Amino acid sequence: MGVATGPAAAARTAGRRRALVVVLMLLAVQLVSLARPAYACGCGAMVHDPKTIMAVHRETSVVRWDGKTEQIVMSLTVDGTAPDAAWIMPVPHRATVKLGDPELFDRLTSLTAPAVEQRHYFWPRSGDWPFKHTSDGAAAPPPAAERPGVGVVGRERLGPFDVARLTATDPAALRNWLKANGFQLPASLAAELRPYVAQRWEYVAIRLAPAGADHRLTGTLDPLRLSFASDRLVYPMRLSRLAKTPQSLGLYVLAAHRMEPRGAIGGARPEVFFAGRIHPEGALRDLDDTNGGKGTGSTFLTAIDQSFPQPQHITGDHELLRAPEDTPFRRVTYTYSLLVVGGVPVWVLTVGGTLLLLAVAAALVIGLHRRRPVTPPAAVRVPPPLT
């Protein structure tokens, strides 16, 4: 078989080459996007080696505020190939850092779970007698070289975390200091830090690393607990503007009253999924400062969800204010079941009773009809014919 030559064959060959180039370019773009660091997640900035991959699947925060002191407990669930990563958290005043109690989040999940109410229906549905199940599938669940302008307040090792507490008067100096200590940050972070520097905020810089040298940073990390003085309840969110993917925020707020964000700060409208007064126990009691830290008093718990489809639109930090009323709220999940009495479906009793009444009524009608005396027809007198 001969090989085609000429302009047509040359055009086909050139077309294949262009297609191959396009495919290779698309593949390269995908590889670069996979290797791009996640520069933000919730409050703070998260970075890692651009040659590795890391994703924050879930971030849960608990905020406790008594009017003078604010505590933030954060738990991150991460996955990827990064052997370590850095997380930067701005705070308005000098902060203390220690490990948090994982039980705290389990307790809050239980407290804010939807209330379950049962509703009944009269007529049988699929799965009820006499019908059969149409589906047996289960429901889907849902050490440091300092640089000018930077002060080292303290540095410590907490479990898997290397924690540095810093002050800074120049965002570029802060960025350089962090870089010298292994925290590789993008240049854009300096600009986002400038408002915090202007307000003389401080920073908590944390290196996240697995226990073993050959391990990867994955799974749910030990929670961290930050405490600092604050005369207002503020949750830092500005650095989330650097995020490349949609962000979500889940906050459990413990205060004297129901709290609500001052505004949406560029995200969807915040949604309250629980509000109510609770009596702190266990890990929650350790966060409660009432009664000399014994936590025997009550506190108001407000649970808030918010999404940020376009993080670049975030305008600042969340400030939470007291709501006009301490109105309680709790989600309700309804379960449905067939209405029964004594183990017997009510519809069976109703239909059976109705049929029985109809049968009795019919029997009575028939009985009355049989017992009624038959009156012979009256005799008709026919006059004799005329003659």
Side-chain angles (χ1 to χ4, degrees):
M1 181 179 295
V3 178
T5 59
R12 286 195 297 269
T13 301
R16 294 192 188 100
R17 290 175 178 174
R18 286 195 295 269
L20 179 59
V21 170
V22 171
V23 171
L24 292 176
M25 290 178 63
L26 290 174
L27 180 59
V29 170
Q30 290 181 337
L31 291 176
V32 170
S33 64
L34 289 174
R36 183 180 297 148
Y39 291 134
C41 64
C43 66
M46 178 80 73
V47 296
H48 58 92
D49 189 336
K51 298 178 181 179
T52 62
I53 301 170
M54 190 183 74
V56 179
H57 293 303
R58 182 181 181 185
E59 176 183 351
T60 308
S61 296
V62 182
V63 180
R64 173 72 175 94
W65 185 65
D66 62 2
K68 298 179 180 179
T69 303
E70 182 175 340
Q71 302 179 65
I72 299 179
V73 185
M74 293 188 63
S75 176
L76 300 176
T77 301
V78 302
D79 188 20
T81 63
D84 59 6
W87 176 62
I88 312 301
M89 171 75 166
V91 290
H93 295 284
R94 185 67 45 84
T96 60
V97 186
K98 60 182 181 179
L99 293 177
D101 189 343
E103 179 193 341
L104 177 65
F105 300 95
D106 295 335
R107 179 63 179 161
L108 287 169
T109 299
S110 177
L111 284 173
T112 59
V116 179
E117 293 186 8
Q118 189 174 42
R119 290 183 173 183
H120 298 92
Y121 51 87
F122 181 82
W123 293 110
R125 300 177 180 177
S126 175
D128 299 321
W129 185 88
F131 304 111
K132 296 181 180 180
H133 289 278
T134 58
S135 173
D136 57 0
E146 293 190 25
R147 298 296 182 94
V150 175
V152 182
V153 178
R155 191 159 190 175
E156 52 213 317
R157 182 78 180 186
L158 297 176
F161 306 117
D162 179 15
V163 180
R165 290 173 291 138
L166 315 171
T167 62
T169 57
D170 175 38
L174 173 61
R175 176 176 176 269
N176 292 335
W177 187 95
L178 294 171
K179 183 177 181 180
N181 285 270
F183 298 98
Q184 300 296 324
L185 300 177
S188 59
L189 185 59
E192 297 298 338
L193 288 172
R194 192 174 298 279
Y196 296 119
V197 174
Q199 299 176 57
R200 297 186 178 275
W201 280 38
E202 299 188 359
Y203 314 91
V204 176
I206 301 172
R207 184 194 298 276
L208 312 175
D214 297 331
H215 293 76
R216 293 294 179 262
L217 196 61
T218 185
T220 300
L221 308 180
D222 293 337
L224 281 171
R225 176 175 169 180
L226 288 70
S227 302
F228 50 88
S230 183
D231 57 1
R232 62 192 183 104
L233 204 170
V234 59
Y235 190 78
M237 286 290 297
R238 187 185 303 274
L239 298 187
S240 292
R241 289 166 48 87
L242 299 175
K244 304 301 180 182
T245 59
Q247 300 288 290
S248 62
L249 173 65
L251 277 182
Y252 295 102
V253 183
L254 298 163
H257 300 279
R258 176 169 172 166
M259 308 298 289
E260 61 184 16
R262 179 189 289 273
I265 64 168
R269 186 172 68 89
E271 299 287 344
V272 174
F273 63 90
F274 180 89
R277 196 161 293 280
I278 64 171
H279 293 275
E281 299 178 354
L284 278 172
R285 184 171 58 245
D286 296 337
L287 286 178
D288 195 1
D289 298 324
T290 61
N291 194 23
K294 297 181 180 179
T296 57
S298 66
T299 188
F300 204 97
L301 170 61
T302 311
I304 303 170
D305 268 339
Q306 185 182 13
S307 63
F308 296 87
Q310 297 178 302
Q312 67 273 20
H313 292 167
I314 295 177
T315 58
D317 300 321
H318 257 318
E319 182 178 0
L320 291 99
L321 307 175
R322 177 179 175 178
E325 301 289 341
D326 289 343
T327 306
F329 173 78
R330 189 170 190 175
R331 297 168 296 175
V332 178
T333 297
Y334 296 99
T335 61
Y336 295 85
S337 62
L338 186 65
L339 185 63
V340 298
V341 174
V344 180
V346 172
W347 74 269
V348 173
L349 297 176
T350 302
V351 173
T354 301
L355 292 176
L356 180 61
L357 289 175
L358 291 175
V360 171
L364 291 175
V365 170
I366 294 174
L368 291 174
H369 180 73
R370 291 177 177 177
R371 295 174 184 176
R372 181 180 301 171
V374 179
T375 303
V380 178
R381 299 183 63 183
V382 179
L386 298 175
T387 56

